[in-house]
Amino acid sequence: MSSLFISSAQAADGGGLLANPTVLQFAPMIFIFVVFYFLLIRPQQQRQRKLREEQGGLRRGDKIVTAGGIVGVVQATRDGSDEVDVEIAQGVRVKIVRSTITNIVSRDKAANDS
């Protein structure tokens, strides 16, 4: 019965940060978040940054693929504008928004036309 009245300060061993049970409870979640960040979040951010740079550097003759799956060739770009003129078939030109472009195959790269 007298053990109920012993203060926790007398029973503490002074083990430091790792002896704290609340830190140990959150350690697996923190570890999982760090793994997700380096395996999923960070690479996706880098891909998005690269795509935005490529979208800003579009030029005439670049072959593109839009989010809707339309494949076309850039015919005209305007600085400061979000629209790009794209030829999707011979004689068929459409204006698309730069942010809908998901893949850019530059005219300098060899295309695998089979």
Side-chain angles (χ1 to χ4, degrees):
M1 182 80 159
S2 66
S3 64
L4 293 175
F5 300 111
I6 297 175
S7 83
S8 59
Q10 293 174 346
D13 64 341
L17 184 64
L18 293 179
N20 191 350
T22 57
V23 173
L24 290 177
Q25 286 178 339
F26 290 112
M29 288 191 292
I30 293 169
F31 176 73
I32 289 171
F33 177 76
V34 169
V35 168
F36 268 86
Y37 177 77
F38 283 106
L39 292 180
L40 298 174
I41 299 170
R42 188 169 180 263
Q44 181 64 26
Q45 288 175 341
Q46 290 176 339
R47 278 191 295 265
Q48 287 176 346
R49 187 178 311 119
K50 181 182 175 210
L51 181 61
R52 280 194 304 268
E53 290 172 0
E54 288 178 347
Q55 288 171 347
L58 280 175
R59 60 182 191 203
R60 188 170 196 264
D62 286 346
K63 189 173 182 180
I64 62 164
V65 179
T66 66
I70 297 174
V71 178
V73 177
V74 176
Q75 296 299 315
T77 61
R78 291 172 201 79
D79 290 336
S81 174
D82 286 338
E83 295 180 350
V84 177
D85 291 337
V86 177
E87 185 173 35
I88 57 175
Q90 189 173 13
V92 180
R93 283 188 171 185
V94 294
K95 288 183 182 182
I96 63 166
V97 179
R98 285 182 194 259
S99 62
T100 62
I101 297 171
T102 58
N103 193 10
I104 301 168
V105 180
S106 179
R107 62 181 166 175
D108 297 334
K109 296 180 182 175
N112 187 6
D113 295 328
S114 49

